[in-house]
Structure formats: structure tokens, C-alpha cells
Amino acid sequence: MPSNVRITDGTFAAHIEPAIAVNPADPRNLLAACRVFPGPDAGRTVGVAAYASFDGGTTWRGHGLLPGLVPDFDGNPTVAFDGRGRGYVCCVVAGRGRPRRGDVLLWRTDDGGRRFHPPVTAVAGGPGLADHPSLAIGAGCGASHACLHLAAGRYGTGDDGVVLTRSFDGGRSFEPPRRLDADAGARAIAPVAAAGPDGSLTVAYLTRSPGGGVALRAVASADGGETFTAPGTVAEVPAMAPGLGDVTAKSGPALAAAPGGGLVCAALTAFDEATGVSRLLLATSGGPTSRTPAWSSPLTVAAGSDAVHLQPQVAVAADRRIAICVYALSVATLRMDVLLHVSAPVPAGCCEPPSFGPPLRVTTHAFDPRRAVGTGDTRWLGNYQGLAASPDHAFHPAWTDTRTGRPHLFTARLPGVASPPALR
């Protein structure tokens, strides 16, 4: 069982929704961000803070609130590094008023998270809300800059739905956002983006299925986001998770691309109310630039009625092993663990879902989600967790954990995780 390291300190009362990234130019440098609560409950202001490690995740230093941020109802952070080691943190900066209004802003760091440049508006909400950003770093746009691809949702704007914007100058400016699925409109939520080194870009999101359940749909681009395929369905499930009583922990999709290209992975959870069975699913594709751009049928990575799977995250290592981390809520004890499922390496040129070995328990102590952030009516554990793959083949999950009595962020480093035999 790996050592668990606490990322957050005592500066804030509570922390949820972590995002984490590893610097490809220096795997010892990790960057994380999360929602933070200055007070003990969610009835007060919410901000976003950043944390950095320079020793592979063994110790962490807090940056505090992102520069210029005044806490109100901010959140949904996403983080990434480009190939030259520049880090980016992106989040929603919004107010609590109704109707809710807010923009997506981006901060850049050139020194691994010690200091940040002032923010830039990436997606303006205008009269409404820009929500749930997802940042992906694409192929270089020249000698000195990577392409930043940012997917987000816009609501209450008159032009609602999942949108994409790009930056070609290292996050200093962004092009006007474009809507990716006009037919779905505001029904499209929770977008996630993944980019490959070959100009490929995939954006997946949730919407209602024709049968009344949940559909995971995706669009893909083979030219760095200039043009996209028509939206297609990756998977349909009756529901992603059951109601959890006095705990709120919504479950969304996750998306990742292999560092070398030719493999895109989508993870989500499914729940059957009639049987009580919770499943963890994985679908794969060769990506829009491959000979096999279509999505596979979803593979059931884990299933059972003794635990509820929540908030999956997916990452792909340089050796093409796929890792999925997920909360597992025990039905018997109502305690949570974080599990990591690691696959066999996917052979080059193959994009079929691989085999997975038994899951690795990441958490050294199961924790009580009923100690999460109090909102008055429920305890809020956030809507997602984090996972990153390192160039040295390690995986770094990051999650919200209440073992101390308050919601803090924890992480672990899993080097060279054992996997089942490779496919032949």
C-alpha cells in the first residue's frame, strides 16, 4: 500500500475537487489546485488555491489563493503543464447571486508553481455562467508556445452548450469560443478534453440519452481543433450513481490521451437501480488521426453491489498502461477508499480495451464522507478527483479525504505499478 501524503495545510477550513499535473520537463515538479473554503461550511465564500511539489510529491508547499482571486463561488480547477515546463491553472470565477454569472480564467506559472502571472479571461460568461473548464495541451504552435485547448460549458448566455477555445501564445490570449454540439445546447454538461502530440483533440461531455438515462458523447478533431467530427455516442448508462442520502458526490466522465498518440480513453461509472450494481467502465479509441477512430464498446473494469464507484479519473502512461482511480463507497460500512485499476500496456497500433489486474487500494485509511463540507442540507465531497501520469511511469492520484476530521487533499505516488501481462 503506498504512503499517503497530505497536500493541503491548515490555511483553509476545507478542500474539495483537486486537479493535479506532472511537469514533463521535470517529473519531480507537480502542480495541484482545488476549491477551498475559508470557513467550515459551504454557506460562506469559496475560492481556489494552488499547491506545488518539487520532490515528486513527497512534500508540498501552498501558494494560497490564486493571484487576484477574491473568493465568492469559485471552483472547478483544471491544471496542466506544457512540454517546456510552463504550468497552467484554470478555474471558474463566479458569484453566488442568481442568476449565477462567472468567467473561466487562466493563470500561468513559469517556475513550477512558486509564482503566477495575473489571470487572463479564457471564456467569458457574459450574462450567464462559464462552467466546468477542462484544459488540454496540444502540439506546439511554433518554436516557443504550445497550443492550449480549453473546453467549457456556457449557460444562461443565449448560446449555451459545450464550447472550445484555444490559445496560441502560451495562455496570454484566447480565441472566441465555438460551440461544439448545437443540437444538445444547454443539455450538454461536464466537458472533458484530451489532446495528442499529432494534432488530435477529443472533447467528451454528458447529456441525456433518448431513453432517459445518461449519454457520454464526444467530438474529435484531427487538425488541432480547426474542424470536428459530428457528435457521437461513446456510452449510455441508466444512471452514473445512486443518491447518497446526506452526502453529495456527483460522478462525471474522465478523458485522457496517450502521450505518444494513437490512444484515447474515456472512463465513467454506471448504476442500475433495479439490481444495485455499480460499474466502472472504460471505452477506448485510436483517436481521430488513427485508422481506428471509432470508440470501442465499453469494458466493465469493475462491478458489484457491495460498493458504489464514484468520480473516476483516467491517465495513460508513456508505456501505454491505462490507470483509472475511483472512489469506492462501501455499502456495509459507508466508508470510502480510493482504488487504482492499472491495465496491461496497450500495444502500439492497437486501441482495444486491455485487461486489468486486481485494483490497488491507495488509501491507507478508509474515511467517512459524512465529514465532508457542510452545505446545510448535505455534506459535499465535490464532483471530481485528480490523477496524473508521470514521464517516469508513475501515477499520482489526488483526492479529497476526511480522515483528519476535515476535508483535506491527499496524494500518493505509485511507481511502476504492477500490471497484468501485456496483450499479444
Side-chain angles (χ1 to χ4, degrees), residues 9 37-38 57 68 102 201 206 241 260 292 324 386 404 414 420 422:
D9 52 28
F37 297 80
L201 173 65
L206 300 177
T292 52
I324 308 172
T404 66
L414 295 98

Side-chain angles (χ1 to χ4, degrees), residues 356-414:
F356 282 80
L360 174 69
R361 182 185 175 194
V362 176
T363 37
T364 54
H365 298 83
F367 66 91
D368 186 351
R370 292 167 295 184
R371 293 185 173 182
V373 180
T375 67
D377 298 325
T378 185
R379 290 286 173 170
W380 187 22
L381 196 63
N383 298 336
Y384 58 87
Q385 309 305 313
L387 178 65
S390 172
D392 60 3
H393 308 300
F395 293 107
H396 296 267
W399 68 94
T400 303
D401 192 310
T402 68
R403 70 182 71 180
T404 66
R406 298 194 307 181
H408 277 283
L409 300 191
F410 281 78
T411 188
R413 183 179 186 276
L414 295 98

